[in-house]
Amino acid sequence: MTTNSSKYNITVIGAPGVGKSAITLRLLYQEFVDDYEPTKLDSYQTMMDYQGQDVDVQITDTAGQEDYASVRDTFLRSGEGFLCVFSLTDSDSYSHIEELYNQVKLAKSMEPPQLPFLIVGNKSDLESSRQTKTEDAQRFAESLGVKYMETSAKNNENVTEAFQFLIGMLVESRSAETAPIESNTGKKKKKKNGGIKRFLCGLA
Amino acid sequence: MGDQFISHSPIPSVELDDSTQPGFTLSDVSSLKSASSGSEHSLDKVSTFGSNLNEVEKKLKHVGYLIDEMIETESTYIKALTDVIEGYIKRLRRDISSGFNDSIIKEVFVNIEDICLFHDKLHHQLIDCDSDHKLVAQLFIKNIEKLAKMYIKFCSAFPRSLEKLEELHGMDPYKSALAQCQLELGHMFAVEEYLHRAVQRFLKYPLLFKDMAKKLVSVDGHEIVKEALDKLLVTAVKINSVKRVQELQANELVGWKGGDLTSMGDLLLEDSFKVAGAKDPRILFLFKNCLLFTKKKEADNIYSFKHSLPMNNITLKEQVDNDFLKWSVLGKGSESYTMLSKDPEQKDRWTRELKRCIVYSTPGLTDIQKEALLMKLPSLKNDVEHINRIWKRATKKTRKAAKRSESVRILHNTECDSDNFSINSEISAAFDLDSPSVQNKNNSLPSSIELKDRSLDNGFDRRSALKKRPSEEVPIPEVDALSISPSIIVDPIPEIHSDSLSDTPLEVVNEGVTDEEDLVLTFKTELSKCTEPEDVEVVDSDIEIINSDEDFNESVEFKTGADPALGYFTNLLLNSKFYPATILGLIYIFACLVNFLPCYLTIPAIVLSTVFGYRSFPAQSLQSQKKLN
């Protein structure tokens, strides 16, 4: 596949009805129509600004493919960056994230931090019907080794930022093919505990 | 290569002849229009109901938007396809120096030209529908088979097309020819992105129709929109499953020696189940003609083949241990697998589909007879919905308990309702295709009562057993050479619906949490009241299964839940005869650790505590574990 240095493909994934298309449309048109939201455009190309540089971004919206894993796989394989959306008001869509994450990991045979993957909790405007706590999602994202953001497609909060962030990851991953894997401080602690345990067992 | 792939990749169950699918012409649309002009009047009638007026109008307006969007995106889509055809295909054909010949073009672009032609027509027809959702739905219903055929062909060839393109991108003269085309078209992205759109496009229609159907509830035209939606969804599933089978066939299924997977018929279902006796979950694939058991290798997307059961030799047992999550299949001989579903809905989906497959693979039946049989299958939908409701209400913690208590209730219920004792209430008389003698014997059974477990009726060939409610008589299709007798397995699940559980299901759940033990005990006594002594043993064994879940929770861990070292020390302190010495040893160690005493004193301390500790450890810990258990 031809990969030009300033062209990136971002694939938007997530459970049905979480606002994948809304986020994408928001980025492209900066407007949210309450009355009728044109939903199902196919794929979009846009120009985005990253640190003063113009980059071409192709956004693939996977709306409609949620139930068809084999078809979706095609898109996962050709995607470069992944915006994984769930709805803060729908805990089912939240629990779906891990499965999606694994599918992407498998399709790309990459893992974070090399894998440009961002978890997005959408519909942050509907605070009253929120089902997922920010801290929980944050912790979960950390456990996967990816970043987490909350957006509102309706109020245009964080939408551009989310895409910018992902593009940043893409730019970096292309410039530095082999980023060193950060050591996990949590692991060290665990090791210490294990040492004490072993010591006690040894005594016994 | 390309030709070979395309011609040798069989696309199951879509064998439509182009000639039978004449193009959709403008006259068709006009005839459709005139046909539905009557219903427009009825729409007016609906609108005149004052209060509904706004509501309906609003809905129709929304549907109008959806149709507009469909038309609008249709034209962008056609534009993209036309670009590919004009800018790539035609140009490459003309330019001999590009190195592209017909076979490469066909491999890369598959049937994109046909697709474009078709959509161009469809686009015009959509415009002619004049935003009438009924006409739009009719248009899709009429064209669905053609759509299905085209997109199945394209989607299944698409991965190969991408591979080929990647190959070509690294090779001259193809590389420069493709780059030249892209440049001339002014495309930001390579041709792959444009081919992707074809895969995406089809799946957008169901989305649009879903929205339309949602808006049109209780509005005129809902039915036909729903029908179009269903047809689109069926096609989407088919596209997906054809792709899936290809993937499996190509590299994902290891150890399969049964030949061409596509000859197994459509892939209908795929799910992960816990199977009794197997440590890791099994991935089951239900093909139209075969049930496949595989194990997934975690790291990569590879399935290793375990067993397969051909559909013409399979018996489904919907009820296992009266647990509405378990079901099992029996093959020829002693092959038997029991599955644990993750929720009742999953079990229902699988058993329903399996029943259909079994009926359809029964030889010697005409399609009409098969349909008739399927129609007579008890519809447990209400009951499944009911169970699902209970299931959803129960939290994770209470589910296990709920499951058990429900099981008990089911048992209990059947118990008291039936005059004849049958704990599993399976009344069986298998379809027997081979031996008429068995069938005769079968028919002579008094009012089809046969006690419980299928494993007992070894005399029958377990072919194509079907489930029936006792009250329903299965028609015996009259086919020569074959003697088919109905297999009747009473399903007690309907009882839940009709009786106890429909009253206060939540109470049952709660009961189960707190007084699980009591429930089981009550059940035992109930049973012993109304059973003959020799059956009690069987009853007991069933309760054990209900109560322990042993098949599925294999690992037994420390009941204390704490780490083993801690448990050990607690045991020592509580149970050791030598505990003064142990405590002394521990104090020594502690003192040494905090530097109260010089280091050389640790050595005797460790020796002391180790010696006494080891002596007392094995016996003590076992005892304490028993207590805890």
Side-chain angles (χ1 to χ4, degrees):
Chain A
M1 210 183 265
T2 48
T3 40
N4 201 311
S5 59
S6 63
K7 288 171 188 167
Y8 300 96
N9 183 317
I10 290 178
T11 306
V12 187
I13 52 177
V18 296
K20 292 184 292 294
S21 305
I23 284 190
T24 315
L25 283 161
R26 192 68 209 218
L27 176 82
L28 296 164
Y29 301 115
Q30 306 290 317
E31 63 190 27
F32 187 93
V33 191
D34 244 341
D35 187 30
Y36 175 73
E37 203 193 314
T39 37
K40 288 93 205 174
L41 301 170
D42 295 330
S43 74
Y44 314 81
Q45 290 162 0
T46 185
M47 194 96 88
M48 281 185 78
D49 181 72
Y50 179 72
Q51 295 182 343
Q53 274 192 320
D54 279 345
V55 282
D56 287 332
V57 184
Q58 156 102 23
I59 297 160
T60 309
D61 176 10
T62 59
Q65 294 157 17
E66 295 89 350
D67 298 331
Y68 311 108
S70 273
V71 175
R72 189 174 53 195
D73 258 16
T74 324
F75 294 94
L76 297 188
R77 263 178 234 134
S78 65
E80 292 176 282
F82 296 90
L83 196 77
C84 187
V85 188
F86 72 92
S87 164
L88 290 166
T89 61
D90 174 11
S91 54
D92 282 350
S93 72
Y94 175 62
S95 53
H96 197 60
I97 296 276
E98 191 165 3
E99 194 192 324
L100 280 169
Y101 169 76
N102 288 328
Q103 278 175 6
V104 171
K105 224 168 63 175
L106 219 95
K108 299 299 289 177
S109 45
M110 266 203 263
E111 283 196 29
Q114 279 85 3
L115 178 68
F117 193 93
L118 176 68
I119 297 177
V120 166
N122 191 33
K123 306 192 187 175
S124 65
D125 48 291
L126 300 169
E127 196 55 52
S128 56
S129 43
R130 177 191 274 267
Q131 287 185 3
T132 308
K133 284 186 195 154
T134 310
E135 305 87 63
D136 290 347
Q138 192 82 47
R139 218 172 299 134
F140 173 64
E142 267 169 32
S143 75
L144 298 180
V146 300
K147 281 272 179 291
Y148 170 69
M149 263 190 192
E150 281 184 7
T151 61
S152 163
K154 192 172 181 180
N155 299 342
N156 197 8
E157 278 166 19
N158 264 343
V159 173
T160 321
E161 286 81 351
F163 280 97
Q164 291 274 10
F165 181 82
L166 210 49
I167 286 165
M169 286 182 85
L170 283 165
V171 172
E172 273 167 36
S173 72
R174 250 187 222 172
S175 58
E177 293 283 355
T178 48
I181 303 161
E182 282 174 45
S183 61
N184 208 334
T185 43
K187 266 186 188 170
K188 273 184 192 168
K189 269 187 187 172
K190 269 188 186 169
K191 262 191 185 172
K192 258 192 179 173
N193 284 335
I196 290 168
K197 263 183 214 165
R198 241 174 282 142
F199 172 68
L200 288 172
C201 289
L203 282 179
Chain B
M1 261 314 246
D3 271 340
Q4 196 188 16
F5 175 74
I6 290 159
S7 58
H8 282 267
S9 67
I11 298 160
S13 72
V14 186
E15 288 140 353
L16 302 158
D17 195 338
D18 263 12
S19 59
T20 62
Q21 296 290 318
F24 203 45
T25 58
L26 287 178
S27 59
D28 290 328
V29 178
S30 52
S31 65
L32 278 178
K33 255 187 165 172
S34 58
S36 72
S37 59
S39 46
E40 266 163 34
H41 285 290
S42 59
L43 194 89
D44 291 339
K45 268 183 209 162
V46 175
S47 310
T48 49
F49 281 109
S51 63
N52 282 341
L53 183 86
N54 269 339
E55 197 69 9
V56 173
E57 243 176 26
K58 222 171 147 187
K59 283 174 178 175
L60 287 178
K61 198 176 150 199
H62 191 103
V63 171
Y65 283 137
L66 286 165
I67 294 170
D68 286 350
E69 186 183 324
M70 195 186 286
I71 293 168
E72 203 181 298
T73 49
E74 193 75 24
S75 67
T76 5
Y77 177 52
I78 292 163
K79 167 86 174 52
L81 291 184
T82 317
D83 273 3
V84 171
I85 290 167
E86 298 291 331
Y88 285 93
I89 302 180
K90 289 196 174 160
R91 199 186 169 286
L92 292 172
R93 270 201 195 121
R94 274 200 309 271
D95 186 2
I96 300 159
S97 66
S98 69
F100 279 84
N101 55 31
D102 276 350
S103 85
I104 295 178
I105 286 178
K106 205 174 176 193
E107 189 175 3
V108 171
F109 298 98
V110 202
N111 55 345
I112 208 107
E113 283 169 295
D114 295 343
I115 292 178
C116 186
L117 264 174
F118 176 83
H119 277 277
D120 199 35
K121 234 184 257 169
L122 189 76
H123 183 221
H124 286 118
Q125 288 159 1
L126 274 172
I127 293 169
D128 290 331
C129 286
D130 203 19
S131 291
D132 184 334
H133 54 269
K134 293 187 292 281
L135 289 179
V136 172
Q138 264 164 340
L139 184 62
F140 273 87
I141 291 169
K142 186 157 184 183
N143 285 284
I144 190 71
E145 280 171 348
K146 179 118 200 210
L147 269 169
K149 191 190 169 196
M150 276 183 339
Y151 279 96
I152 287 174
K153 184 172 180 188
F154 183 81
C155 292
S156 51
F158 186 56
R160 184 76 196 95
S161 155
L162 286 181
E163 273 171 37
K164 186 78 189 171
L165 271 170
E166 199 170 345
E167 192 188 318
L168 297 176
H169 275 308
M171 219 193 311
D172 265 330
Y174 311 108
K175 189 177 149 189
S176 45
L178 285 171
Q180 186 62 31
C181 291
Q182 191 185 335
L183 192 75
E184 278 174 28
L185 279 166
H187 278 177
M188 264 202 297
F189 289 85
V191 65
E192 286 93 332
E193 297 300 338
Y194 295 85
L195 293 179
H196 261 127
R197 296 196 186 177
V199 183
Q200 277 178 304
R201 181 64 192 171
F202 184 81
L203 293 175
K204 303 294 168 185
Y205 295 124
L207 270 185
L208 288 160
F209 272 92
K210 217 178 263 173
D211 275 9
M212 265 155 75
K214 216 161 78 189
K215 283 282 161 194
L216 288 170
V217 176
S218 72
V219 177
D220 183 42
H222 177 252
E223 249 115 81
I224 193 161
V225 170
K226 188 81 184 30
E227 191 190 335
L229 170 64
D230 288 343
K231 290 207 155 122
L232 284 164
L233 285 174
V234 166
T235 310
V237 169
K238 207 174 243 175
I239 290 175
N240 192 55
S241 77
V242 169
K243 275 202 79 179
R244 185 85 188 105
V245 173
Q246 273 194 341
E247 284 166 17
L248 285 172
Q249 176 93 358
N251 45 20
E252 288 181 7
L253 186 63
V254 180
W256 166 251
K257 293 191 175 65
D260 193 1
L261 268 182
T262 45
S263 68
M264 294 296 155
D266 292 358
L267 174 61
L268 301 167
L269 291 170
E270 171 189 350
D271 251 322
S272 170
F273 289 96
K274 284 204 164 189
V275 176
K279 201 175 154 205
D280 299 309
R282 292 280 183 264
I283 315 293
L284 269 66
F285 294 94
L286 176 63
F287 287 90
K288 207 172 173 190
N289 302 325
C290 173
L291 180 65
L292 222 63
F293 290 74
T294 66
K295 185 179 145 189
K296 193 174 183 181
K297 290 183 181 170
E298 260 324 308
D300 26 35
N301 226 358
I302 285 176
Y303 302 85
S304 57
F305 169 72
K306 292 287 170 193
H307 338 272
S308 74
L309 295 175
M311 210 45 74
N312 55 19
N313 208 332
I314 198 167
T315 303
L316 168 69
K317 195 173 152 194
E318 248 187 310
Q319 209 196 326
V320 181
D321 305 335
N322 287 292
D323 187 327
F324 54 59
L325 293 182
K326 290 185 189 170
W327 54 282
S328 69
V329 287
L330 310 165
K332 207 175 189 176
S334 59
E335 265 186 300
S336 148
Y337 307 96
T338 304
M339 269 61 72
L340 181 72
S341 317
K342 65 174 186 288
D343 52 36
E345 200 270 326
Q346 190 191 33
K347 176 182 167 178
D348 175 59
R349 196 168 58 232
W350 274 78
T351 49
R352 203 152 19 103
E353 207 60 54
L354 243 169
K355 274 183 269 184
R356 285 179 60 86
C357 293
I358 292 171
V359 170
Y360 270 97
S361 64
T362 310
L365 292 180
T366 64
D367 283 352
I368 300 162
Q369 285 169 322
K370 285 173 184 173
E371 284 298 333
L373 263 176
L374 282 172
M375 290 291 281
K376 290 245 171 166
L377 282 175
S379 157
L380 295 176
K381 203 150 189 285
N382 287 335
D383 308 296
V384 171
E385 274 168 12
H386 178 68
I387 291 171
N388 265 331
R389 268 203 303 280
I390 302 172
W391 184 255
K392 274 174 189 159
R393 262 190 264 173
T395 62
K396 266 183 192 164
K397 276 183 192 168
T398 55
R399 267 181 193 172
K400 208 170 178 185
K403 191 178 86 194
R404 290 176 189 166
S405 60
E406 295 267 327
S407 311
V408 174
R409 284 303 265 269
I410 296 165
L411 274 177
H412 183 84
N413 233 337
T414 14
E415 200 46 48
C416 299
D417 285 344
S418 65
D419 295 336
N420 305 299
F421 168 68
S422 65
I423 185 160
N424 274 344
S425 31
E426 262 187 37
I427 304 162
S428 77
F431 266 109
D432 199 310
L433 303 169
D434 291 338
S435 46
S437 58
V438 177
Q439 188 235 335
N440 289 337
K441 180 182 147 201
N442 209 355
N443 279 350
S444 66
L445 283 171
S447 67
S448 71
I449 302 296
E450 240 247 333
L451 240 193
K452 63 172 266 96
D453 205 327
R454 220 147 235 295
S455 56
L456 295 178
D457 53 358
N458 284 329
F460 303 116
D461 188 2
R462 299 174 188 137
R463 282 200 179 191
S464 316
L466 293 170
K467 291 204 141 197
K468 286 285 153 193
R469 286 191 199 191
S471 55
E472 282 172 339
E473 278 289 83
V474 188
I476 302 174
E478 286 175 26
V479 188
D480 325 340
L482 293 173
S483 52
I484 299 169
S485 64
S487 150
I488 303 172
I489 301 166
V490 184
D491 202 324
I493 290 175
E495 309 279 0
I496 329 167
H497 188 57
S498 53
D499 293 335
S500 59
L501 288 176
S502 47
D503 304 329
T504 46
L506 254 182
E507 266 177 41
V508 178
V509 174
N510 294 334
E511 229 175 271
V513 185
T514 50
D515 295 328
E516 201 181 304
E517 210 58 53
D518 288 353
L519 256 181
V520 174
L521 283 175
T522 338
F523 165 59
K524 264 188 194 172
T525 48
E526 284 283 347
L527 269 190
S528 46
K529 269 184 215 160
C530 56
T531 49
E532 290 144 28
E534 64 262 33
D535 287 317
V536 174
E537 259 183 46
V538 185
V539 172
D540 274 334
S541 72
D542 262 12
I543 290 166
E544 249 178 55
I545 294 166
I546 293 167
N547 211 12
S548 65
D549 265 353
E550 60 193 349
D551 287 350
F552 301 103
N553 297 327
E554 280 165 1
S555 63
V556 180
E557 285 177 23
F558 263 90
K559 290 283 178 179
T560 49
D563 94 81
L566 209 71
Y568 167 60
F569 277 110
T570 331
N571 290 340
L572 264 191
L573 287 172
L574 295 175
N575 301 318
S576 171
K577 280 175 199 163
F578 304 95
Y579 72 89
T582 320
I583 290 175
L584 202 70
L586 287 173
I587 292 170
Y588 262 111
I589 296 167
F590 181 73
C592 293
L593 284 175
V594 293
N595 287 335
F596 276 151
L597 291 167
C599 269
Y600 57 81
L601 280 178
T602 41
I603 300 160
I606 291 170
V607 170
L608 267 175
S609 61
T610 315
V611 169
F612 290 124
Y614 258 118
R615 269 190 195 168
S616 53
F617 174 63
Q620 298 295 341
S621 67
L622 270 180
Q623 268 178 22
S624 65
Q625 267 191 38
K626 266 185 191 169
K627 274 182 205 166
L628 286 162
N629 281 339

